[in-house]
């Protein structure tokens, strides 16, 4: 008598209500496009927000750089839209070339391009979705200084990539030079703090319960005096996104966890009152 064994099917990846990503910077060597394309494939969702600086027009205007991996990210986003995911593209400062078209209510099928959006979570909270550059005094009023800062950041990331190649050969873990600077350089700490306070103030003024933004490349979810502050992080250094489940809880998703199959790693963060 022959017995057969039925192997259990692998569990499907979780389906999220909403995914937010920002600061991808397609068109630059620092963009982790291959990881992002794989991440988007593993994270089905009903609504995908692209929260600014997806395409780096600043960099492309001075030097064209567009490998196949960057086209794969665009193709993956279009595929999600074709299969029913609503895609909202919130223009940022590096992809500000899109802002000239916003008055025309630009939309292509399931893809809509806006300056900002209001997202209502599954538990009824109203979140302002904005890239956030308008709350950065340097970007808004001192463009030349913002361009210089951008060049300095790109240089920092180049040094970081070289450093981490050496660390990898020595069997050491990845170490972020940019994150270290943000945590320990006083001027950087002040800029981040001022940015977060300005965003929270605007939400309070306009009657929102919270905000989802990008711009400063630092993923975070925390309460700021009754306003829930969410930042997507980036796909140059941290490779993070935000995800909402079907109960309205939002957490930071790290590409390293998702691509390793640790779909349930980490707790959802709910800061609703």
């Amino acid at each position: 008598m022959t017995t057969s064994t039925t192997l259990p099917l692998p569990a499907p990846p979780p389906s999220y209500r909403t995914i937010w990503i920002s600061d991808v910077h397609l068109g630059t060597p620092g963009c982790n496009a291959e990881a992002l394309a794989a991440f988007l494939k593993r994270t089905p969702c009903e609504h995908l927000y692209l929260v600014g600086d997806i395409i780096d027009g600043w960099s492309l205007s001075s030097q064209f750089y567009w490998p196949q991996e960057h086209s794969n990210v665009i193709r993956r986003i279009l595929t999600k839209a074709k299969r029913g995911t609503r895609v909202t593209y919130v223009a940022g400062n590096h992809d500000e070339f899109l802002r000239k078209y916003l008055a025309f209510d630009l939309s292509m099928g399931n893809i809509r391009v806006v300056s900002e959006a209001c997202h209502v979570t599954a538990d009824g909270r109203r979140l302002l979705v904005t890239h956030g550059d308008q709350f950065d005094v340097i970007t808004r009023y001192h463009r030349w200084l913002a361009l210089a800062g951008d060049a300095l950041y790109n240089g920092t990331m180049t040094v970081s990539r070289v450093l981490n190649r050496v660390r990898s050969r020595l069997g050491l873990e990845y170490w972020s030079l940019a994150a270290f600077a943000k945590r320990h350089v006083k001027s950087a700490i002040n800029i981040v703090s001022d940015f977060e306070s300005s965003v929270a103030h605007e939400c309070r003024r306009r009657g929102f319960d919270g905000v989802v933004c990008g711009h400063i490349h630092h993923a975070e979810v925390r309460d700021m005096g009754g306003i829930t502050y969410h930042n997507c992080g980036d796909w140059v250094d941290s490779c993070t996104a935000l995800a909402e489940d079907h109960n309205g809880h939002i957490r930071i998703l790290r590409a390293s966890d998702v691509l390793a199959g640790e779909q349930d790693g980490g707790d959802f963060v709910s800061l609703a009152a």
Side-chain angles (χ1 to χ4, degrees):
M1 181 175 179
T2 304
T3 59
S4 60
T5 302
T6 302
L7 296 176
L9 294 174
S15 177
Y16 299 101
R17 185 171 185 263
T18 314
I19 295 285
W20 293 267
I21 63 172
S22 75
D23 297 278
V24 175
H25 293 278
L26 293 170
T28 67
C31 170
N32 285 291
E34 188 173 357
L36 177 55
F39 174 89
L40 290 170
K41 184 177 181 179
R42 296 287 297 274
T43 51
C45 57
E46 296 175 6
H47 200 158
L48 172 65
Y49 284 94
L50 309 174
V51 194
D53 286 5
I54 304 304
I55 299 172
D56 197 322
W58 289 11
S59 180
L60 289 171
S61 66
S62 59
Q63 181 179 5
F64 187 79
Y65 176 85
W66 195 272
Q68 180 60 46
E69 290 80 5
H70 293 211
S71 294
N72 292 344
V73 170
I74 301 296
R75 185 177 295 114
R76 179 58 57 189
I77 292 169
L78 294 174
T79 297
K80 290 176 87 70
K82 182 179 179 181
R83 293 177 179 173
T85 296
R86 287 173 292 128
V87 180
T88 300
Y89 193 138
V90 180
N93 55 305
H94 281 258
D95 41 25
E96 62 188 354
F97 59 87
L98 291 171
R99 288 175 172 168
K100 67 179 73 173
Y101 303 109
L102 297 180
F104 301 102
D105 191 23
L106 183 61
S107 62
M108 298 164 284
N110 267 350
I111 301 178
R112 186 170 59 111
V113 182
V114 298
S115 59
E116 64 177 37
C118 174
H119 176 79
V120 180
T121 63
D123 55 1
R125 290 173 295 141
R126 294 175 66 252
L127 304 180
L128 172 64
V129 183
T130 178
H131 179 63
D133 57 288
Q134 67 270 40
F135 302 105
D136 183 341
V137 174
I138 293 174
T139 299
R140 189 171 182 179
Y141 298 110
H142 306 285
R143 184 178 174 85
W144 68 270
L145 192 55
L147 290 169
D150 186 60
L152 178 61
Y153 177 78
N154 289 336
T156 300
M157 293 311 302
T158 299
V159 172
S160 185
R161 286 195 296 273
V162 173
L163 176 63
N164 278 290
R165 278 198 292 269
V166 174
R167 288 177 62 86
S168 178
R169 289 170 185 163
L170 295 175
L172 301 174
E173 294 181 350
Y174 178 84
W175 181 77
S176 172
L177 178 59
F180 176 84
K182 287 174 186 175
R183 288 194 304 267
H184 298 283
V185 177
K186 184 176 180 180
S187 59
I189 294 170
N190 290 340
I191 289 171
V192 171
S193 178
D194 290 347
F195 172 85
E196 294 172 344
S197 297
S198 296
V199 173
H201 175 76
E202 179 68 5
C203 285
R204 240 178 250 109
R205 187 184 71 82
R206 295 173 60 181
F208 285 98
D209 299 300
V211 64
V212 176
C213 59
H215 188 59
I216 59 171
H217 294 217
H218 180 65
E220 190 163 13
V221 178
R222 67 188 179 97
D223 178 80
M224 296 187 66
I227 297 297
T228 314
Y229 172 86
H230 312 82
N231 195 296
C232 305
D234 72 326
W235 288 84
V236 177
D237 186 38
S238 61
C239 292
T240 55
L242 295 169
E244 178 194 9
D245 71 6
H246 292 279
N247 295 316
H249 300 156
I250 298 174
R251 68 163 170 167
I252 297 170
L253 278 185
R254 303 189 183 280
S256 56
D257 293 338
V258 171
L259 301 184
E262 298 173 11
Q263 299 282 354
D264 296 321
D267 297 326
F268 273 90
V269 180
S270 178
L271 296 174

